[in-house]
Amino acid sequence: MNTAIKQQPSELVRVRHLVKHFPVENSADVVRAVDDVSFDIFSGETLGLVGESGCGKSTVGRCLLRLYEPTSGEVWFEDQNIADLPGREMQALRREMQIIFQDPYASLNPRLKILSIISEPLKIHGIGDKASQREKVADLLTKVGLDPDYMYRYPHEFSGGQRQRIGIARALALNPKLIICDEPVSALDVSVQAQVVNLLQDLQAEFGLTYLFISHGLAVVEHISNRVAVMYLGKIVEIAEAKELYESPQHPYTQALLSAIPVPDPKKKRERIVLQGDVPTPINPPSGCRFRTRCPIAIPECARVVPDLREVAPGHLAACIRIEGYEHAPSAER
């Protein structure tokens, strides 16, 4: 009998009560892009982060790297709260945390050759001499499926898919532990999307990488993610294992999102849940549950209770007082 105990994965990132507000020009109002978000990312996993455009997904990713300074909250990377790190210590920690940007055309400097673009992180952190840096760039280009001689070309000489591979190579240059994938395939053709997603999975297996994969492509997220978090108007409304979330979504917003995924069988039809109205403004979001103005099962109590993420099944958290098994506390009202 095998009596080995399955070890729980260790936390690489721990986010607690993250808030990011942007001031509105010539006004006392703020855009509540991220409003009290908490989640964990385990070492070696891919956490998918999905939601409609403008819900705060990319802002969360950039706050994790402090490309945006959080308004409040904690972001722990291993045993350090990076929200409090001074600039020099934060720069040193950036070797462990990198990002792949959404637009492969805007994220590469058109005036630099690929050699300079990929080796720039090595130069910033003082790693190696010119010869070793050139050798590293050649190896990285090979890893992402490109010819090493491409290092002597400029970005405009490549297709979108090739440019994104170059962006991935740059993110790998410092051997990071965490990579924020900020909608890395949304600007690519569908056939190229599959190639890039498969490449990311291969690199994860080879280097033991951890991903936060941000996307509005639900089918892509299902394919690549171990767990999935769903965002709506600055808040996370559901988190679960990918298979569990796609087979048994609990939050009405998640159910509506998943109902929009096309079924690859003309004989089968998915019952579509069409949400009424527009997404409210993050400057003045609705009271209580932010989804209530579009929710098909909302009740008057939803206007005064702010639902917290609660466990509705083992490892499955949702924020909705209408879900069976969810018990809201009066203290959640405000």
Side-chain angles (χ1 to χ4, degrees):
M1 176 183 288
N2 184 0
T3 59
I5 299 175
K6 184 179 179 181
Q7 293 185 342
Q8 294 296 321
S10 60
E11 284 181 350
L12 182 66
V13 177
R14 186 168 74 255
V15 179
R16 293 293 179 268
H17 307 294
L18 179 65
V19 174
K20 178 58 182 176
H21 294 169
F22 294 98
V24 177
E25 189 174 0
N26 299 323
S27 172
D29 294 328
V30 294
V31 176
R32 301 174 182 271
V34 178
D35 221 5
D36 195 12
V37 163
S38 299
F39 61 91
D40 301 319
I41 306 176
F42 298 107
S43 183
E45 80 163 346
T46 298
L47 176 66
L49 186 60
V50 302
E52 293 171 284
S53 296
C55 70
K57 306 184 301 294
S58 294
T59 303
V60 168
R62 293 179 182 227
C63 284
L64 261 58
L65 300 179
R66 270 183 60 186
L67 297 180
Y68 292 156
E69 290 290 341
T71 302
S72 64
E74 298 179 349
V75 179
W76 291 82
F77 182 83
E78 294 183 323
D79 59 348
Q80 290 184 293
N81 183 6
I82 68 172
D84 297 331
L85 285 182
R88 182 171 297 180
E89 292 183 32
M90 187 64 215
Q91 180 176 338
L93 188 63
R94 289 192 194 280
R95 292 183 59 169
E96 309 287 349
M97 312 162 70
Q98 293 294 309
I99 185 170
I100 301 167
F101 293 98
Q102 175 180 356
D103 188 351
Y105 292 89
S107 62
L108 304 179
N109 190 330
R111 298 185 178 185
L112 297 180
K113 292 183 178 179
I114 304 308
L115 172 60
S116 298
I117 290 173
I118 298 179
S119 64
E120 187 173 16
L122 302 172
K123 295 174 182 176
I124 290 173
H125 290 273
I127 300 174
D129 55 19
K130 287 186 177 180
S132 63
Q133 290 172 359
R134 187 178 296 108
E135 184 178 342
K136 177 73 171 180
V137 171
D139 179 61
L140 288 170
L141 288 172
T142 302
K143 293 288 187 186
V144 299
L146 297 176
D147 190 317
D149 287 339
Y150 287 176
M151 73 173 75
Y152 301 110
R153 298 184 182 182
Y154 289 93
H156 74 269
E157 301 179 66
F158 298 95
S159 66
Q162 289 174 321
R163 291 188 188 201
Q164 197 59 294
R165 288 173 185 265
I166 293 167
I168 294 170
R170 177 175 59 185
L172 291 172
L174 296 173
N175 300 316
K177 294 179 181 178
L178 172 71
I179 296 182
I180 308 296
C181 304
D182 187 8
E183 304 205 34
V185 298
S186 63
L188 308 178
D189 293 340
V190 174
S191 60
V192 179
Q193 287 184 12
Q195 296 172 16
V196 172
V197 168
N198 290 335
L199 171 64
L200 289 171
Q201 290 181 307
D202 292 342
L203 294 171
Q204 183 176 41
E206 182 175 354
F207 296 105
L209 299 169
T210 302
Y211 294 145
L212 175 63
F213 192 90
I214 300 167
S215 179
H216 57 259
L218 295 169
V220 174
V221 170
E222 181 183 17
H223 177 71
I224 197 174
S225 302
N226 302 105
R227 293 186 303 132
V228 178
V230 182
M231 279 194 76
Y232 181 80
L233 204 62
K235 287 185 175 290
I236 291 180
V237 298
E238 189 165 3
I239 303 178
E241 297 285 337
K243 183 178 180 181
E244 167 77 10
L245 185 127
Y246 278 77
E247 291 182 353
S248 182
Q250 297 297 305
H251 197 281
Y253 177 61
T254 308
Q255 294 169 357
L257 285 181
L258 297 184
S259 75
I261 300 177
V263 179
D265 186 344
K267 297 180 181 180
K268 293 183 179 180
K269 291 186 178 180
R270 191 191 302 271
E271 185 178 349
R272 180 73 190 275
I273 301 173
V274 180
L275 299 177
Q276 302 298 319
D278 297 324
V279 179
T281 172
I283 297 176
N284 185 26
S287 63
C289 174
R290 295 191 172 184
F291 184 59
R292 66 176 176 82
T293 57
R294 305 173 71 199
C295 181
I297 61 171
I299 58 177
E301 192 176 8
C302 295
R304 64 184 186 84
V305 176
V306 180
D308 297 323
L309 275 175
R310 303 284 179 89
E311 192 169 66
V312 296
H316 193 153
L317 287 74
C320 175
I321 64 174
R322 298 297 313 279
I323 297 174
E324 185 177 352
Y326 181 100
E327 295 180 1
H328 71 272
S331 59
E333 300 177 9
R334 68 177 181 215

